[in-house]
Amino acid sequence: DVVLTQTPVSLLISLGGQASISCRSSQSLVHSNGNTYLHWYLQKPGQSPQLLIYQVSNRFSGIPDRFSGSGSGTDFTLKISRVEPEDLGVYYCLQRTHNPRTFGGGTKLELK
Amino acid sequence: EVQLVESGGSLVQPGGSLKLSCVASGYTFSNYWMDWVRQTPGKSLEWIGEINTDGSKTNYAPSIKDRFTISRDNAKSTLYLQMSNVKSDDTAIYYCTVGPDYWGQGVMVTVSS
């Protein structure tokens, strides 16, 4: 199975600051069709995960441009600029290139 | 607005069976692959499996293969997860999802004697 390693496990950020989360894969996430199926989610307290970024760098419907994704192959990054209170929660990466699909262990974003 | 509503969660004894349902609305259910994902009490997310649009193809995580079965009824816009021979490790919140895009609110399954 593909292992996704997220770092850091937790992140203390001030309101208005910038956060960066890494997701590293144990193997390339480039599909045979050329696409890379690496997605990012935010799970707010008491809620189900919500899609933020799909296929590395595409913001999902309604997601503000403060969220951006980048990377390729095995190394991926989610950046959150101008952190707001509603950005707090746990961030997960998910790969859907290989079966079984696998998630990263999560990164908890908290206010400093 | 896409809505996914899971139901059927409960307390079940080890070795028992349970069937979860997920009713979808707000989009054309029959056009999309559907998945089941679970979240353990420790908060880890685990993909369970997926089903294609007409229900003819399924893929499962090795950890649950042969114990869980995913099916769908496109006429009822409903996704199912049949769980059998459940174990304590199956205790989790179970979510249905529209591919990677939308998630339901989840339903709790507790396996305990």
Side-chain angles (χ1 to χ4, degrees):
Chain A
D1 298 1
V2 172
V3 176
L4 297 182
T5 302
Q6 278 185 243
T7 55
V9 172
S10 64
L11 209 44
L12 283 174
I13 302 292
S14 302
L15 286 178
Q18 177 166 299
S20 182
I21 300 171
S22 169
C23 178
R24 289 191 169 174
S25 174
S26 60
Q27 57 185 276
S28 174
L29 297 184
V30 180
H31 194 274
S32 56
N33 64 12
N35 292 328
T36 300
Y37 297 101
L38 186 284
H39 314 301
W40 289 96
Y41 295 83
L42 166 60
Q43 185 172 30
K44 299 180 182 181
Q47 297 184 17
S48 53
Q50 61 177 105
L51 181 63
L52 299 173
I53 302 287
Y54 66 94
Q55 291 185 40
V56 182
S57 59
N58 301 284
R59 277 186 300 277
F60 193 53
S61 175
I63 302 303
D65 60 7
R66 301 184 293 101
F67 292 88
S68 63
S70 63
S72 63
T74 61
D75 287 350
F76 304 91
T77 302
L78 174 70
K79 290 188 177 177
I80 311 153
S81 60
R82 306 183 302 280
V83 168
E84 298 185 4
E86 58 263 32
D87 301 338
L88 304 183
V90 183
Y91 290 80
Y92 296 94
C93 53
L94 162 68
Q95 69 80 22
R96 291 179 63 92
T97 297
H98 303 285
N99 271 319
R101 322 312 193 179
T102 50
F103 290 87
T107 296
K108 188 172 186 179
L109 181 62
E110 298 175 291
L111 279 181
K112 188 183 292 183
Chain B
E1 178 192 5
V2 173
Q3 284 200 324
L4 302 169
V5 180
E6 301 95 338
S7 62
S10 71
L11 172 64
V12 59
Q13 291 189 340
S17 298
L18 197 63
K19 189 171 186 176
L20 306 182
S21 300
C22 169
V23 177
S25 61
Y27 71 104
T28 305
F29 179 76
S30 57
N31 287 353
Y32 291 86
W33 286 60
M34 297 290 293
D35 294 51
W36 285 98
V37 175
R38 67 186 180 185
Q39 187 164 35
T40 64
K43 302 296 186 183
S44 298
L45 289 166
E46 181 183 18
W47 178 79
I48 294 170
E50 64 188 3
I51 187 166
N52 69 344
T53 55
D54 67 4
S56 62
K57 181 175 172 57
T58 51
N59 294 310
Y60 297 98
S63 62
I64 59 90
K65 196 173 172 62
D66 298 329
R67 294 193 301 121
F68 292 5
T69 302
I70 298 173
S71 61
R72 65 191 298 163
D73 183 337
N74 285 343
K76 295 182 178 179
S77 296
T78 301
L79 176 72
Y80 301 101
L81 178 67
Q82 176 69 53
M83 306 169 63
S84 60
N85 190 24
V86 295
K87 308 172 183 180
S88 58
D89 288 349
D90 295 323
T91 294
I93 297 171
Y94 285 74
Y95 298 99
C96 65
T97 80
V98 184
D101 298 354
Y102 296 98
W103 294 48
Q105 85 289 349
V107 64
M108 185 71 205
V109 172
T110 302
V111 181
S112 176
S113 54

